[in-house]
Amino acid sequence: MSFDELFDSCFRNLPVVRIPEPGAKEKKSPSNSSLQDLTTLDHVFAASRFVVFHLIRSGSRNSDELAPLLKQLVAARNAGDETEKRSSSSPAKIRRLFSLKRKSKKKKKDSASLASLSEQSEVAVVVVDVEPQPDSEKGPDAFGEPGWYVVAPLPHLTKSRLLRSLKYNCPPSLSIVESASRQLITSEGRRSLLDDPFGQHFPWVEPSPVEIFQGNLLRSVQNADGSRSIESIDFSALKRSVKGIYFAANWYPPCKQMGRQLAEAYEKLRKVGKDFEIIFCSSDRSKESFEQHLHSMPWFAFPFDSHKLSLLSRLYGISGIPAFVIIDENNELITKHGRNVLLEDPMGRNFPWRPKPFYELNEFSLCRITDLPSLILFTEGAPEDVLFSTQVLQTITDSPQFQSASPATTSSGPAEDESSTNALTESTTNSESSEEETVPKNADPLQLFYTGDDPICDHILDSLGLSDAELPLVAIVDVSIGFMTICDKPDVGDVIISDFIASYKAGKLEMMPIPSSRNTTKVGGIPMKVIEKALGINQSPSQQSIGASDSSPGAQQKTVAV
């Protein structure tokens, strides 16, 4: 669910600590700061026009990488002319861009909600530490600059909701929220800040897919004499269809391998009549290299344009090459794991590859664990075990109480659950609950997996420290926060798993950190680093993000994804 849909029930009363000015009394940690430094996220939103969530991992070497630029941005925006700021980036303008509708339901107002607009600052910074086990001895001033805020330690379920709603991928990152509407403007603030350090285009509202796609597409065609030339058509003339957006460069060998794999699948899909098109987005280092690359492809390409590359990378959260995302006829994301989808299903039996009720855990589906919290039903993997697993999970997903997980689609809106428990109760400073909203039913979507005979399944068990566990076994793994929980019931069935899910969503289960990695290079031919990335084990943020502000296409992809 989106940030604005969860704000009132989950985030309004989150405790945050204001980083004190130099010379103020030293505090040991956010959790024991004095009451004068402790406030709520609602207060921060009432006192500022835009809130920048700075998501860091305190234990990593680059946790403060963005702090100097962010400090510069905040100073520039908050010191600027107020009239100019209101005309260029007003909440009304943001709402028009997002076609927002204000809720008619009256909301409870606390003292912070009565703050005068004239007293608002332009930008507030809220630091969120995503470290699974942060250093409790660190004071708030270790997380940023005076005047910034630090989110106090949160229950695991609340932290997971917050990171998902901010579309957190890897630290350090910046997510920008407009205060009046609580609308997430962008989760790609890191790249925007590197390109625009003084925030001249802040809050970096991104164009819609239609706006980005408009213009010409190019395609290589063979002439009568055997030579090749490039023809151009307008995007609007392209047949309405499911599309794959392929991010690659001619200079990087893994892209050539992926290109060959995609070409084989593309031809098979076209032969069986699937309405599927691929559009290439180039990270080549020159126009000549781009054209050479294009001549080897049977599909369309966006023109060689570093600006369009940047916009598309931000739109779909592309942090390295090669990458392949699949979008539907309305240009909405179906999956960011397009390569694995085509390798597993080159004949398009599951076209257009929308989310399934549950998946077999194998080399193709492993990457999906990074999308959402995941329930995994581990068995020995024999045919009868697989039949048992699919029957159990089918029964669960057919239940009207189960909320399916669709990470690539937008929620239709919050649904109130009178029996749900607000997991924030223990961490809020407002004890008045008479008007608190209940947590929506679909606030905590789960993906479901079962294990078969793929050798990767045994290694996942080992990586989670469960190699000696008696099977069948059920676990919920949340990579975003680095924690998991195990069902302690001796028997496994649809009733037990349903109760396990209900207890998880109510925040009643004991969570434990995902164990550290083992020293293995490959499992079943799959590189260990791929498995570690999927499980979030010993992940190096600096190796997963595009860290360049260089305007050249080649510089935009200085690091490449596994």
Side-chain angles (χ1 to χ4, degrees):
M1 293 188 69
S2 62
F3 184 89
D4 57 303
E5 290 173 320
L6 291 174
F7 183 85
D8 288 308
S9 60
C10 299
F11 305 146
R12 175 185 291 277
N13 291 319
L14 286 189
V16 296
V17 181
R18 190 176 187 276
I19 299 177
E21 297 294 331
K25 184 179 178 180
E26 183 179 352
K27 311 293 190 306
K28 290 186 178 180
S29 69
S31 60
N32 64 3
S33 296
S34 64
L35 292 179
Q36 66 180 4
D37 294 323
L38 186 65
T39 183
T40 65
L41 195 60
D42 187 45
H43 173 86
V44 179
F45 270 71
S48 57
R49 296 165 55 75
F50 299 98
V51 177
V52 178
F53 286 89
H54 185 200
L55 300 122
I56 66 168
R57 176 167 286 158
S58 59
S60 67
R61 62 180 181 274
N62 63 342
S63 61
D64 58 352
E65 172 184 292
L66 299 179
L69 285 178
L70 189 53
K71 177 183 178 182
Q72 176 179 276
L73 168 74
V74 172
R77 297 300 302 182
N78 288 347
D81 179 72
E82 197 67 27
T83 301
E84 179 181 348
K85 287 188 293 186
R86 289 183 183 275
S87 64
S88 63
S89 57
S90 69
K93 181 178 179 181
I94 300 296
R95 287 196 293 274
R96 285 196 299 272
L97 288 169
F98 283 105
S99 301
L100 297 176
K101 295 180 180 179
R102 301 295 294 161
K103 294 181 181 179
S104 59
K105 183 179 178 181
K106 290 185 178 181
K107 301 295 180 185
K108 177 181 173 183
K109 294 182 179 180
D110 59 18
S111 58
S113 302
L114 302 177
S116 169
L117 287 176
S118 62
E119 297 176 353
Q120 286 184 323
S121 62
E122 176 78 352
V123 183
V125 176
V126 176
V127 181
V128 182
D129 185 8
V130 302
E131 177 67 34
Q133 295 179 292
D135 184 354
S136 60
E137 295 301 314
K138 285 187 176 180
D141 53 342
F143 293 88
E145 298 295 321
W148 294 7
Y149 298 86
V150 180
V151 175
L154 300 174
H156 297 107
L157 195 60
T158 305
K159 189 173 184 179
S160 181
R161 291 170 184 163
L162 180 63
L163 296 183
R164 277 185 277 114
S165 69
L166 294 174
K167 296 185 178 180
Y168 163 73
N169 183 21
C170 63
S173 63
L174 301 176
S175 294
I176 318 297
V177 178
E178 195 266 318
S179 297
S181 66
R182 298 149 194 165
Q183 183 80 31
L184 177 66
I185 296 174
T186 180
S187 60
E188 293 291 326
R190 178 180 185 271
R191 283 189 257 204
S192 298
L193 180 63
L194 292 172
D195 289 338
D196 179 24
F198 289 97
Q200 294 180 340
H201 303 291
F202 184 86
W204 304 309
V205 179
E206 303 291 355
S208 67
V210 173
E211 292 173 311
I212 298 176
F213 290 161
Q214 68 182 0
N216 290 333
L217 294 177
L218 306 178
R219 181 167 59 179
S220 175
V221 295
Q222 186 168 348
N223 302 318
D225 61 359
S227 63
R228 302 196 70 88
S229 60
I230 296 176
E231 69 173 10
S232 174
I233 69 165
D234 192 270
F235 179 82
S236 61
L238 193 66
K239 182 179 179 181
R240 194 168 182 269
S241 64
V242 175
K243 295 176 284 292
I245 310 299
Y246 175 38
F247 297 82
N250 200 29
W251 53 267
Y252 189 52
C255 293
K256 295 181 180 180
Q257 178 185 2
M258 181 187 281
R260 289 191 294 268
Q261 293 170 334
L262 293 183
E264 292 178 8
Y266 178 74
E267 295 298 340
K268 290 178 182 177
L269 290 168
R270 303 281 287 186
K271 285 181 180 179
V272 296
K274 301 297 183 183
D275 287 333
F276 181 64
E277 192 52 77
I278 293 179
I279 307 176
F280 170 52
C281 185
S282 173
S283 292
D284 290 299
R285 289 169 172 162
S286 68
K287 187 174 182 180
E288 291 73 23
S289 179
F290 159 72
E291 292 179 350
Q292 179 186 359
H293 202 181
L294 180 59
H295 285 315
S296 68
M297 300 176 179
W299 45 67
F300 291 96
F302 293 106
F304 185 68
D305 182 349
S306 61
H307 181 61
K308 180 156 288 192
L309 167 66
S310 177
L311 291 176
L312 285 164
S313 297
R314 295 176 191 184
L315 178 64
Y316 296 117
I318 302 302
S319 57
I321 56 171
F324 187 63
V325 300
I326 298 175
I327 60 177
D328 65 16
E329 298 89 339
N330 299 315
N331 304 318
E332 296 292 335
L333 182 67
I334 293 177
T335 178
K336 62 183 180 180
H337 308 298
R339 179 192 189 186
N340 286 24
V341 163
L342 288 189
L343 289 178
E344 185 177 27
D345 183 25
M347 299 304 295
R349 293 185 301 272
N350 299 315
F351 181 86
W353 308 294
R354 298 190 186 280
K356 297 180 182 180
F358 49 85
Y359 298 88
E360 179 182 352
L361 186 62
N362 54 36
E363 62 176 308
F364 301 111
S365 64
L366 176 63
C367 56
R368 294 181 181 272
I369 290 181
T370 62
D371 292 340
L372 288 170
S374 302
L375 180 144
I376 307 174
L377 172 53
F378 291 98
T379 66
E380 297 288 353
E384 57 270 23
D385 293 328
V386 171
L387 179 61
F388 162 77
S389 298
T390 56
Q391 289 175 340
V392 167
L393 295 183
Q394 188 66 61
T395 301
I396 292 172
T397 56
D398 287 344
S399 169
Q401 284 77 35
F402 182 77
Q403 296 293 323
S404 61
S406 301
T409 58
T410 303
S411 169
S412 59
E416 295 188 356
D417 180 3
E418 297 298 333
S419 64
S420 63
T421 302
N422 189 338
L424 294 181
T425 303
E426 296 180 359
S427 65
T428 59
T429 57
N430 188 350
S431 61
E432 300 179 32
S433 59
S434 59
E435 297 184 30
E436 290 290 332
E437 291 194 358
T438 54
V439 177
K441 285 182 180 179
N442 49 347
D444 305 298
L446 275 176
Q447 298 177 114
L448 305 184
F449 295 86
Y450 66 92
T451 59
D453 59 0
D454 193 303
I456 201 172
C457 298
D458 289 335
H459 184 72
I460 297 301
L461 266 175
D462 185 53
S463 296
L464 296 177
L466 303 173
S467 58
D468 297 327
E470 184 176 347
L471 302 181
L473 177 144
V474 181
I476 293 176
V477 179
D478 189 343
V479 171
S480 67
I481 61 172
F483 276 80
M484 66 179 189
T485 184
I486 308 298
C487 180
D488 59 3
K489 303 295 183 183
D491 298 316
V492 172
D494 56 284
V495 175
I496 288 177
I497 295 178
S498 295
D499 290 343
F500 181 57
I501 292 173
S503 296
Y504 166 76
K505 293 188 176 185
K508 297 178 179 179
L509 299 180
E510 179 184 359
M511 303 292 288
M512 62 190 77
I514 296 175
S516 298
S517 173
R518 312 297 172 89
N519 295 321
T520 309
T521 56
K522 284 189 177 182
V523 177
I526 301 173
M528 184 63 204
K529 56 187 177 181
V530 175
I531 299 172
E532 290 178 353
K533 181 182 178 183
L535 291 176
I537 297 172
N538 291 349
Q539 213 165 283
S540 174
S542 62
Q543 295 176 358
Q544 295 185 48
S545 56
I546 298 175
S549 58
D550 194 311
S551 60
S552 67
Q556 289 288 343
Q557 303 282 359
K558 281 187 177 177
T559 58
V560 290
V562 175

